[in-house]
Amino acid sequence: MSALLTRPRSGRAAGTARPLPRLRPARAGRAGRQHQGGRLAYAVLILAAVISAFPFYWTIVAATRSNAELAASPPALLPGGNLAHNFRQVLEQADIGKALLNSLVVSGSVTVGTVLCSTLAGFAFAKLRFRGRNALLALTIGTMMIPPQLGVIPLFMLIAELHWVNQLQSVILPGLVSAFGVFFMRQYLAQSLPDELIEAGRVDGASTARIFWSIVVPVARPGMAVLAILTFMASWNDFFWPIIALTSQEPTVQVALRQLGGGYVHDQSVIMAGTLLGTVPVLVVFGLLGRQIVGGIMQGAVKE
């Protein structure tokens, strides 16, 4: 009888002890499979990086060659020595210096305004409770379904009434608020910002503005950096609205590039040299904000 009573107890003890040895080999096996698949994953990533970087490399090659060398078959795949001449042609054919300055002003202003407004609105939609919050969020997201081309004529009529045609504010102000940015920051803060931090700030007597600047902004820094990169690149590469609102006397980079390589035969080397000049600021901004993204992720990963 005592043996019968002790069997289930020994069985339960064995049952509780058995999973531990089984889990360890399984984890080791999964770790081994990940280690074996690491080389293939790195090879795929390197191949994808090479394919992605090749257009930029070809831009450098084309900017350092002449138009005749680019038309040769097969084309040259190594940089040449014609870069300085092509840059001089770019400066003669278009006011690229003024275009770069205008694009920096426009893209920088749009990026700062979009990130700030989107973070404020995203924080309100994610963590604050007010009447009509869900309806306003649905209305904001619904504006993303409207094609931007439908608003070009009313927008141009508005800036014409304000006498803003061929002025930079006609390009800056329409882009200061982004429905995508609001939705992006709302989703990011809803997942990354704990309610306990906001409640702790309320207990300490902090106002909503103080909570936003001291708690929300540090937590939202990686998301703000991602949104800043996307907004800056979209504003820098925008051609449709600047070509309507601006002229060649007050151009952005994309408008100025339209003036390059003119003639019966387009000079592709000059166009590529202007494109290379217009790409450098984007790479600089990406490098600076990329560090912010990595730093914010590492800061959020370390817990005391």
Side-chain angles (χ1 to χ4, degrees), residues 255-267:
V255 177
L257 291 178
R258 186 175 61 93
Q259 307 173 15
L260 299 179
Y264 183 76
V265 178
H266 293 286
D267 195 339

Side-chain angles (χ1 to χ4, degrees), residues 58-87 89 265-273:
W58 174 249
T59 301
I60 297 176
V61 173
T64 58
R65 296 283 180 171
S66 64
N67 205 35
E69 292 174 340
L70 294 179
S73 182
L77 295 178
L78 295 177
N82 212 33
L83 183 61
H85 176 267
N86 291 334
F87 279 166
Q89 293 294 320
V265 178
H266 293 286
D267 195 339
Q268 299 294 331
S269 61
V270 175
I271 296 175
M272 289 298 182

Side-chain angles (χ1 to χ4, degrees), residues 141-154:
I141 297 174
T143 59
M144 298 172 60
M145 296 183 291
I146 301 175
Q149 290 79 7
L150 295 180
V152 169
I153 295 177

Side-chain angles (χ1 to χ4, degrees), residues 230-269:
L230 297 176
T231 304
F232 186 88
M233 292 182 64
S235 178
W236 185 274
N237 295 326
D238 189 17
F239 176 77
F240 181 68
W241 176 242
I243 198 63
I244 296 175
L246 303 177
T247 62
S248 58
Q249 284 74 32
E250 200 71 31
T252 58
V253 170
Q254 308 305 324
V255 177
L257 291 178
R258 186 175 61 93
Q259 307 173 15
L260 299 179
Y264 183 76
V265 178
H266 293 286
D267 195 339
Q268 299 294 331
S269 61

Side-chain angles (χ1 to χ4, degrees), residues 88-196:
R88 286 194 297 268
Q89 293 294 320
V90 170
L91 297 177
E92 292 176 1
Q93 296 180 17
D95 194 355
I96 197 67
K98 187 176 183 180
L100 287 172
L101 180 60
N102 290 342
S103 290
L104 286 175
V105 172
V106 171
S107 301
S109 302
V110 170
T111 300
V112 172
T114 299
V115 172
L116 180 60
C117 294
S118 299
T119 306
L120 282 168
F123 168 60
F125 283 127
K127 297 300 178 180
L128 300 183
R129 301 293 182 265
F130 55 91
R131 184 176 298 178
R133 182 185 66 169
N134 295 331
L136 287 175
L137 180 61
L139 180 62
T140 302
I141 297 174
T143 59
M144 298 172 60
M145 296 183 291
I146 301 175
Q149 290 79 7
L150 295 180
V152 169
I153 295 177
L155 185 59
F156 185 82
M157 294 174 63
L158 177 61
I159 67 170
E161 290 291 333
L162 296 174
H163 304 285
W164 286 356
V165 179
N166 199 29
Q167 297 184 23
L168 295 183
Q169 58 263 33
S170 64
V171 184
I172 294 175
L173 292 180
L176 288 180
V177 180
S178 169
F180 168 77
V182 173
F183 177 72
F184 177 83
M185 293 307 302
R186 188 265 176 192
Q187 296 298 108
Y188 183 85
L189 290 174
Q191 298 293 329
S192 302
L193 181 61
D195 295 334
E196 290 77 7

Side-chain angles (χ1 to χ4, degrees), residues 22 42 111 211 245 251 287:
R22 290 179 182 178
Y42 278 114
T111 300
I211 290 174

Side-chain angles (χ1 to χ4, degrees), residues 280-291:
V280 172
V282 179
L283 297 177
V284 173
V285 171
F286 183 81
L288 294 176
L289 295 181
R291 293 181 179 179

